[in-house]
Amino acid sequence: MIPLVDVRAQHQRFRAEIEAAMADVVRDGDFILGKAVGRFEDAFARFVGTKHCVGVASGTDALVLAVREAGVRPGDKVLLPANTFIATAVAVSQAGAVPVLCDVDPVSHTIDVAAARRALPAGTKAIIPVHLYGQPADMQGVLDLVQEKGLLVIEDAAQAHGAMHALGPCGRLGRASAFSFYPGKNLGAYGDAGAVCTDDDDLAGRLRVVRNVGASEKYLHPVVGCNSRLDTLQAAVLLAKLPHLEEGNRQRRVIAGWYREALAEVADDVEPPAEAAWTRGHSYHLYVVRLRRAPRDAALRGLKQRGVGAGVHYPVPIHLQQAYAHLGFGRGAFPVTERAAETILSLPMYPELTREQVGTVVGALREAIAEAL
Ligand SMILES: *Cc1c(COP(=O)(O)O)cnc(C)c1O
């Protein structure tokens, strides 16, 4: 059995450091906004290259709070790609704003800036490029559009820890960026966790107050906040794992190279992921291929029968989810996103995957495709 992602394999490798860090928190009873939280925030800000990192309870909360505190007001419109995890849209809705969707580019699967320009309603307040699968979005295009239209940029970097755009690291290319430390992400906690990164001192200050029930100091609450603190135990895990993130990302790129080589044998049936012209470091959170002719769901079943834990990211685009039917986009609204939803397949990807396992996955994929056709 080769899973899609194996969080236990990573724990085995760094077990001593991680368990010692967790034991320290427990021994000191330092559970809420404890020492490890500030230490992790400093270390992660240094890693991303921003002045500030504010730890919060999840990646979704990081997006909600970044959107709201950066200045998006209830009723404002916020543009985002239709091909993303639904949390990107949910965060906009949670902030009281209205998601406006646009299609993605067929090569990178990230926001198509020309489509974004066409979709942009007058008065749109912000744009959320998503560095999907670990591939940086077209930030030069986004920044040109932003300058022209006066938009705020919040990056959804939930899949892009350590990913590099030609312009710089993902997460320091907008007003603020949101990271998720969901266990399966490239930097994963042992539960929910997230962070906002920004160079903006005022924004970081407001986020620190808002995440802690609006407290500027103990029992003084200048604003109505929420409880979205980064848990100290999670911060301790993240602090122990952060020094290994770069090496893990390098290994993911090596594995992507193995896949590319092995997939050359099935080039008529499988399109490997392409790196965009602006990508300087793909973080390969997911390794997403496209099936050229075989029915995807049948191939996926075939892979599962052969013990390969493949997945689909994502099978139902945001505009076709029941939750967002009220936006009024029907089938056919975003053809590139819809075609991707029907033809893409995520193959197992995690740093501990071996070359032999990659061969096994590709062999199973070849059989599954032959069976499905
Ligand atoms: C994981 C993810 C999120 C949400 O993060 P959570 O920590 O699960 O709340 C948001 N956007 C994208 C693109 C993600 O992959």
Side-chain angles (χ1 to χ4, degrees):
M1 176 72 202
I2 304 174
L4 181 65
V5 26
D6 190 346
V7 294
R8 286 173 308 177
Q10 204 179 45
H11 182 69
Q12 284 312 316
R13 271 205 300 153
F14 308 124
R15 176 181 198 144
E17 298 148 64
I18 295 169
E19 290 184 355
M22 293 176 87
D24 284 349
V25 175
V26 175
R27 185 199 57 217
D28 296 343
D30 195 19
F31 299 117
I32 302 296
L33 292 182
K35 286 189 292 295
V37 173
R39 281 195 202 132
F40 171 70
E41 289 175 332
D42 290 347
F44 197 67
R46 225 173 303 124
F47 177 83
V48 176
T50 50
K51 228 169 133 183
H52 308 280
C53 164
V54 181
V56 296
S58 70
T60 306
D61 271 6
L63 278 165
V64 175
L65 298 180
V67 163
R68 204 185 275 154
E69 296 307 317
V72 172
R73 301 272 80 93
D76 281 347
K77 297 186 180 81
V78 177
L79 193 79
L80 58 115
N83 184 41
T84 178
F85 180 52
I86 196 166
T88 318
V90 166
V92 171
S93 305
Q94 287 283 310
V98 182
V100 176
L101 304 176
C102 72
D103 213 346
V104 293
D105 156 70
V107 174
S108 69
H109 288 120
T110 63
I111 194 163
D112 176 344
V113 176
R117 186 182 294 274
R118 286 194 299 274
L120 202 68
T124 300
K125 189 64 187 261
I127 181 168
I128 308 182
V130 183
H131 308 301
L132 199 69
Y133 314 145
Q135 170 110 272
D138 175 9
M139 290 305 291
Q140 187 62 61
V142 167
L143 294 173
D144 290 345
L145 182 65
V146 158
Q147 202 160 45
E148 191 184 315
K149 308 281 185 185
L151 306 171
L152 284 165
V153 186
I154 313 291
E155 298 172 75
D156 183 338
Q159 302 190 358
H161 321 70
M164 287 294 285
H165 188 286
L167 296 173
C170 290
R172 61 173 277 200
L173 300 171
R175 173 69 62 87
S177 58
F179 285 89
S180 164
F181 307 116
Y182 180 87
K185 300 285 161 87
N186 289 30
L187 179 61
Y190 289 179
D192 279 307
V196 180
C197 289
T198 182
D199 282 333
D200 183 327
D201 299 338
D202 291 341
L203 174 56
R206 285 198 301 280
L207 288 166
R208 287 187 191 288
V209 170
V210 167
R211 72 163 175 192
N212 190 22
V213 245
S216 55
E217 52 190 284
K218 203 164 174 95
Y219 303 131
L220 270 188
H221 305 263
V223 295
V224 178
C226 62
N227 180 349
S228 184
R229 297 174 291 237
L230 171 61
D231 198 275
T232 311
L233 270 172
Q234 301 305 342
V237 169
L238 293 167
L239 195 55
K241 289 174 80 175
L242 181 58
H244 306 291
L245 175 57
E246 277 295 6
E247 185 256 331
N249 283 351
R250 265 198 303 278
Q251 192 55 27
R252 286 170 188 267
R253 289 192 281 270
V254 168
I255 293 164
W258 294 340
Y259 266 125
R260 200 165 304 122
E261 243 174 73
L263 288 170
E265 294 167 34
V266 285
D268 290 345
D269 284 305
V270 183
E271 184 184 317
E275 294 193 7
W278 54 78
T279 296
R280 294 293 174 274
H282 195 310
S283 66
Y284 284 107
H285 170 57
L286 293 166
Y287 191 82
V288 178
V289 302
R290 204 176 65 75
L291 301 189
R292 296 187 199 275
R293 40 185 193 156
R296 192 269 319 281
D297 290 341
L300 184 62
R301 272 195 303 276
L303 276 174
K304 288 194 170 153
Q305 279 159 11
R306 289 168 176 80
V308 172
V312 178
H313 300 85
Y314 296 89
V316 182
I318 291 173
H319 65 292
L320 301 178
Q321 295 282 356
Q322 198 185 337
Y324 282 110
H326 66 274
L327 295 179
F329 298 106
R331 196 167 286 282
F334 306 113
V336 180
T337 295
E338 289 169 33
R339 194 176 73 126
E342 286 163 9
T343 57
I344 56 179
L345 198 56
S346 307
L347 300 179
M349 173 55 90
Y350 48 91
E352 294 78 13
L353 203 63
T354 65
R355 187 164 201 159
E356 192 190 342
Q357 286 175 313
V358 166
T360 304
V361 170
V362 173
L365 180 60
R366 190 200 293 114
E367 287 174 20
I369 286 173
E371 201 174 77
L373 275 172

